Amino acid sequence: MKKASALVLSVIMLICSINFAPLSAAAYSKDDAPDVTEGVPFEVSVLAEDMNDVENRCIFAKFTPEQTAFYEFSFAQKFNGTVDDSMIVYITESGSDDMLSIALCTKITKKNREYAELLGVSENPSVATKMTAGKTYLLYILTTVAGGYTSDVTVQKHTHKTKLVTDKSYVDSESFKYNYNGEKYYCCTNNNCSYHKRVATYYKVKSVKLNGTAFTYTGKAKKPKATVITTKGKKLKQGTDYTISYSGNVKIGTAKATIKFKGKYTGKVVRKFKINPVGTSLTYLYSGRKSFAAYWKRKTTDTNGYQLQYSTDKNFKKNTKTVTIKSYSRRYKTIGRLKAKKKYFVRVRTYKKVGKTVYYSKWSKVKSVKTK
């Protein structure tokens, strides 16, 4: 693991060094870099000091092709440093900072090989990219090797070795902020070639929703289905693109549905849903002088108590009050100090406390009563 960390660190430091800026007679500026000819070898000699001035002193060759084609700068010598050293080689078009092809190099061992392949690191400094006839391309080389690096290099037409690759679309488990598209594409595995031909895109996931966020306790497992939609509006298929597993989905409380992606997608998303207690119903309402008494069906299991709600508004949007009855054994409640000869709408529900969270049933059907 230490070797892997060192590998990642050395590569990151090398890449970051491109942003800094002194000198070495071994490399050239854009103006005095030598023009090289297709098929004619030339020598590069790179010193560690070169990386201190990338813009002016890390260019080793200029090449202007006569034909539009894929070309490569083929290095005779592989990377000569240790696992603590690194080297970067890349091609740009003159006048642009875009890296058209890049080789990240370090010493590859049994211990770091897996991580090197993951990061695209190797001991091969050769680079290849498509070049347009008449345009000029620059070869940059930077290294951290104290003793430097020397090799013969030949610019020549490139031969592809293509490979079909599938990169899965990643689904971020938190906010979807880091979701990204996946794709199937052909790439070239020869000499760090930039060839890339997409044949399919797996668009990133936009939303994951359950077909319900609240259910009534029945003593049986609740298994809501999920609807997964991509940014292109495609609905993913359960079993093909994802699986669902559940936990805490029988008893009253908060349950979890874990959507684990597969196939062309990777990652997982957790969605929560509630299992609420069974409700009750009002049996009858008695009218009293500036009061009324409400009776309901008593629940003796999976209930801590009740909430009684009454209002002069049948939609319970205004003039509404709620009373909590903290005993499941109670079956009625008298409400007083009301207005005389006024119609009130009444409903009731059960509740159960699990941990620090209170879960409520659905409200009962509404009944009305007029005070005396």
Side-chain angles (χ1 to χ4, degrees):
M1 194 64 186
K2 290 183 178 179
K3 292 294 183 182
S5 300
L7 171 61
V8 174
L9 182 60
S10 64
V11 171
I12 292 173
M13 290 177 65
L14 181 56
I15 294 174
C16 291
S17 71
I18 296 175
N19 298 319
F20 299 118
L23 340 137
S24 167
Y28 305 88
S29 67
K30 288 181 180 179
D31 296 330
D32 60 10
D35 289 297
V36 296
T37 303
E38 181 182 350
V40 179
F42 61 95
E43 184 182 84
V44 296
S45 182
V46 193
L47 303 178
E49 289 82 359
D50 291 340
M51 65 187 296
N52 292 322
D53 190 7
V54 176
E55 182 66 21
N56 297 312
R57 295 294 176 179
C58 284
I59 301 171
F60 284 80
K62 290 189 296 187
F63 175 63
T64 305
E66 295 181 355
Q67 299 177 347
T68 297
F70 271 83
Y71 291 86
E72 66 183 19
F73 286 96
S74 179
F75 286 67
Q77 301 296 323
K78 66 180 183 179
F79 177 73
N80 63 333
T82 69
V83 292
D84 296 319
D85 296 319
S86 52
M87 184 168 76
I88 183 172
V89 181
Y90 61 94
I91 303 171
T92 70
E93 183 182 331
S94 183
S96 173
D97 294 327
D98 293 338
M99 296 181 184
L100 303 178
S101 176
I102 182 171
L104 301 173
C105 302
T106 193
K107 180 69 175 178
I108 305 301
T109 66
K110 289 183 179 180
K111 291 184 178 181
N112 72 9
R113 186 176 302 279
E114 179 182 352
Y115 297 95
E117 291 177 354
L118 183 64
L119 293 167
V121 180
S122 72
E123 295 180 354
N124 178 17
S126 298
V127 283
T129 192
K130 186 176 182 179
M131 300 185 187
T132 303
K135 292 189 176 182
T136 299
Y137 298 84
L138 308 175
L139 175 67
Y140 287 78
I141 311 173
L142 303 87
T143 185
T144 63
V145 180
Y149 169 81
T150 300
S151 177
D152 285 339
V153 182
T154 303
V155 59
Q156 58 194 18
K157 285 189 175 65
H158 175 74
T159 300
H160 288 315
K161 293 181 181 178
T162 57
K163 176 183 178 181
L164 185 60
V165 178
T166 298
D167 284 343
K168 296 183 178 183
S169 175
Y170 175 70
V171 185
D172 174 31
S173 63
E174 297 298 327
S175 63
F176 287 3
K177 182 179 180 181
Y178 300 104
N179 284 12
Y180 56 76
N181 292 341
E183 63 176 350
K184 180 183 285 188
Y185 61 93
Y186 286 99
C187 67
C188 177
T189 60
N190 186 25
N191 288 342
N192 298 294
C193 179
S194 63
Y195 175 75
H196 184 107
K197 182 180 180 181
R198 183 185 299 115
V199 294
T201 300
Y202 312 128
Y203 292 101
K204 61 185 178 182
V205 169
K206 179 182 180 181
S207 65
V208 177
K209 296 180 179 179
L210 299 179
N211 65 355
T213 57
F215 300 87
T216 299
Y217 172 76
T218 61
K220 296 181 180 180
K222 301 300 178 184
K223 297 181 178 181
K225 292 183 178 180
T227 300
V228 182
I229 304 295
T230 70
T231 53
K232 289 295 182 179
K234 180 181 178 181
K235 189 175 180 180
L236 299 188
K237 296 180 180 180
Q238 183 177 345
T240 301
D241 301 310
Y242 63 89
T243 60
I244 308 180
S245 59
Y246 303 90
S247 62
N249 61 325
V250 176
K251 297 181 180 180
I252 294 171
T254 298
K256 293 181 180 180
T258 301
I259 297 91
K260 188 174 182 180
F261 290 88
K262 57 182 289 189
K264 301 167 186 175
Y265 293 82
T266 185
K268 70 176 181 179
V269 172
V270 176
R271 289 289 181 261
K272 295 180 180 180
F273 60 94
K274 291 182 178 181
I275 299 177
N276 294 318
V278 177
T280 186
S281 59
L282 292 168
T283 52
Y284 43 84
L285 300 173
Y286 282 126
S287 175
R289 187 172 181 276
K290 294 184 178 183
S291 67
F292 69 83
Y295 286 76
W296 56 83
K297 289 183 179 180
R298 184 168 53 194
K299 294 292 180 180
T300 59
T301 58
D302 296 303
T303 300
N304 293 137
Y306 310 88
Q307 278 194 336
L308 187 71
Q309 196 171 70
Y310 59 96
S311 176
T312 55
D313 175 21
K314 66 179 181 179
N315 294 316
F316 294 86
K317 300 295 183 182
K318 57 183 179 179
N319 301 323
T320 301
K321 291 187 177 181
T322 303
V323 178
T324 299
I325 297 93
K326 297 181 178 180
S327 173
Y328 71 86
S329 62
R330 288 284 299 275
R331 57 183 298 269
Y332 76 94
K333 176 69 177 178
T334 300
I335 305 296
R337 297 183 180 181
L338 303 176
K339 293 182 179 180
K341 299 181 180 180
K342 189 72 174 177
K343 187 176 183 179
Y344 286 88
F345 298 91
V346 187
R347 59 186 181 180
V348 67
R349 67 180 179 181
T350 65
Y351 76 85
K352 181 176 176 63
K353 188 174 183 180
V354 179
K356 294 182 179 181
T357 304
V358 179
Y359 297 87
Y360 298 95
S361 72
K362 294 180 180 180
W363 287 107
S364 67
K365 290 184 179 180
V366 178
K367 290 182 178 291
S368 63
V369 62
K370 189 174 182 179
T371 57
K372 296 178 181 179

